[in-house]
Amino acid sequence: MDFKSVFLDALISDSKISAGLMPEAFLGQTLPMADEDSLPFFKLLSCGTLKTQFPWSFDIRTLDCFLFLYTKKGRGKLLLNGQIYSLDTGNFILLDCSQRFRMDIAREPWEYVIAFFDGNPLPHYRRLFPIDRICSIQISPFSDLSMGMDRLCAQFPAVNLSGTLMISDLLNHMTTICLSSSLKEEGHSLRTPAYIEKMQTLFDQQFQNTYTLDDLEKLLGVSKYKLCREFGAAYGISPLQYLNRQRIEAAKHLLLTTNHRIHVIGSMVGIENTNHFIFLFKKYTGNTPLEYKQRMVR
């Protein structure tokens, strides 16, 4: 049985959707479910970017899989265990679908990227979920999660084992980010200082700006030596390494989604010197920007 059939069987009542659409439109693109139960991978069941109008409502019994949903525009709402979650612009959720849930549009147009996935790692990750079986995070357009959704859609369906491994690795990475965020929220005694979180937010959302440690010291009111020490303790790398990593991740996204020249992309992510941009890109990815684009674009 393919995933579309599994999904349709899980609908509790008739879905309320725009005229001319079928309920499976909620899933994006689907493929027949392959018999790969022995492989220790995550498998992508469906994926797509959807732009919806009223009416748009789905009441779903249970599905033995996980769900990523990232709202790019508008607003949706999720009813789960008697609680309503607002899926606002920039919201990203990881949902364990082994429970009844309902999705509705709240403000149109609701544009979101969705991905359903399963695989042998599912039971192990389920044990790490919070009690309400959902992780909800507010993210930036150039975060690992938002760009990860674009990469999933670009690489789906996988045409060979290499593609299958890349998709599984990406799903694993994104799931780890979501669950780690939830565990961090629960560990109040281990909470990162507010000024370090503000520093991270600057690097995540305004990575194209130029930063010096002296500037950050003045902005945050904390010694630059303390900032470096505590940032490294919180994230495992130095502030400059983290900032460059975010810039390279954004550059990878721009390489795959635009036709801008290499020097333009370097400038867009805050690295004006083209030779330095190429050097950093190869340092973090193992390929030059051109090699990376040729390898990733089929």
Side-chain angles (χ1 to χ4, degrees):
M1 182 182 291
D2 62 16
F3 184 59
K4 180 176 75 173
S5 300
V6 172
F7 171 76
L8 294 176
D9 285 346
L11 293 176
I12 294 175
S13 58
D14 290 340
S15 302
K16 299 175 182 177
I17 55 178
S18 304
L21 293 177
M22 302 298 288
E24 58 266 29
F26 179 75
L27 305 176
Q29 181 186 5
T30 61
L31 286 178
M33 297 174 72
D35 184 16
E36 299 173 338
D37 291 341
S38 63
L39 297 179
F41 305 145
F42 274 130
K43 299 173 294 183
L44 197 53
L45 301 172
S46 77
C47 192
T49 299
L50 303 174
K51 188 173 183 179
T52 66
Q53 308 282 341
F54 285 110
W56 193 254
S57 177
F58 299 84
D59 198 353
I60 302 166
R61 186 178 292 104
T62 62
L63 293 167
D64 188 21
C65 60
F66 289 170
L67 161 68
F68 286 141
L69 191 149
Y70 169 50
T71 297
K72 303 182 80 169
K73 186 178 181 181
R75 180 187 303 137
K77 60 181 178 181
L78 166 67
L79 177 62
L80 180 70
N81 297 323
Q83 183 173 347
I84 295 176
Y85 296 85
S86 182
L87 309 180
D88 299 292
T89 300
N91 176 261
F92 187 98
I93 64 169
L94 167 63
L95 176 68
D96 180 358
C97 300
S98 61
Q99 56 193 324
R100 179 176 176 175
F101 64 97
R102 174 173 170 153
M103 291 280 189
D104 295 272
I105 188 172
R107 186 175 68 215
E108 64 178 0
W110 183 26
E111 184 177 348
Y112 60 87
V113 192
I114 194 166
F116 286 89
F117 61 103
D118 70 359
N120 281 326
L122 242 66
H124 308 287
Y125 279 98
R126 274 199 173 113
R127 291 196 288 268
L128 300 176
F129 262 86
I131 192 168
D132 51 1
R133 317 303 294 169
I134 182 175
C135 302
S136 179
I137 313 170
Q138 202 67 21
I139 63 174
S140 72
F142 286 103
S143 71
D144 281 359
L145 293 173
S146 55
M147 292 191 296
M149 292 298 280
D150 288 338
R151 289 201 289 272
L152 284 176
C153 291
Q155 295 174 23
F156 182 73
V159 297
N160 51 36
L161 180 58
S162 176
T164 299
L165 287 169
M166 291 178 66
I167 287 176
S168 178
D169 182 62
L170 188 52
L171 289 169
N172 181 75
H173 176 64
M174 295 168 67
T175 302
T176 300
I177 291 175
C178 292
L179 292 174
S180 296
S181 176
S182 294
L183 292 170
K184 181 180 176 183
E185 288 297 319
E186 293 174 2
H188 300 294
S189 62
L190 300 177
R191 185 170 179 82
T192 303
Y195 51 84
I196 295 298
E197 291 187 339
K198 183 175 180 180
M199 190 172 169
Q200 181 203 24
T201 300
L202 283 174
F203 292 166
D204 285 347
Q205 300 182 6
Q206 301 177 39
F207 50 80
Q208 69 275 14
N209 294 342
T210 299
Y211 298 97
T212 67
L213 289 174
D214 288 333
D215 293 335
L216 291 167
E217 182 179 74
K218 292 177 182 177
L219 176 66
L220 301 172
V222 180
S223 158
K224 58 187 177 183
Y225 305 106
K226 186 175 183 179
L227 288 176
C228 287
R229 184 174 64 252
E230 294 193 349
F231 192 96
Y235 301 108
I237 55 177
S238 73
L240 180 59
Q241 289 173 324
Y242 184 94
L243 176 60
N244 282 335
R245 189 184 70 181
Q246 296 307 97
R247 286 169 167 168
I248 297 306
E249 286 299 316
K252 287 161 63 177
H253 178 74
L254 291 169
L255 281 166
L256 299 180
T257 58
T258 73
N259 291 318
H260 294 312
R261 298 175 68 86
I262 301 300
H263 74 277
V264 173
I265 290 178
S267 179
M268 290 174 69
V269 301
I271 308 173
E272 297 291 342
N273 185 299
T274 303
N275 288 333
H276 185 54
F277 170 61
I278 294 172
F279 169 78
L280 284 177
F281 195 96
K282 187 166 185 178
K283 177 181 177 181
Y284 280 83
T285 69
N287 300 106
T288 67
L290 182 59
E291 289 170 344
Y292 177 81
K293 185 166 185 175
Q294 291 172 340
R295 182 169 62 87
M296 295 299 294
V297 176
R298 294 196 293 263

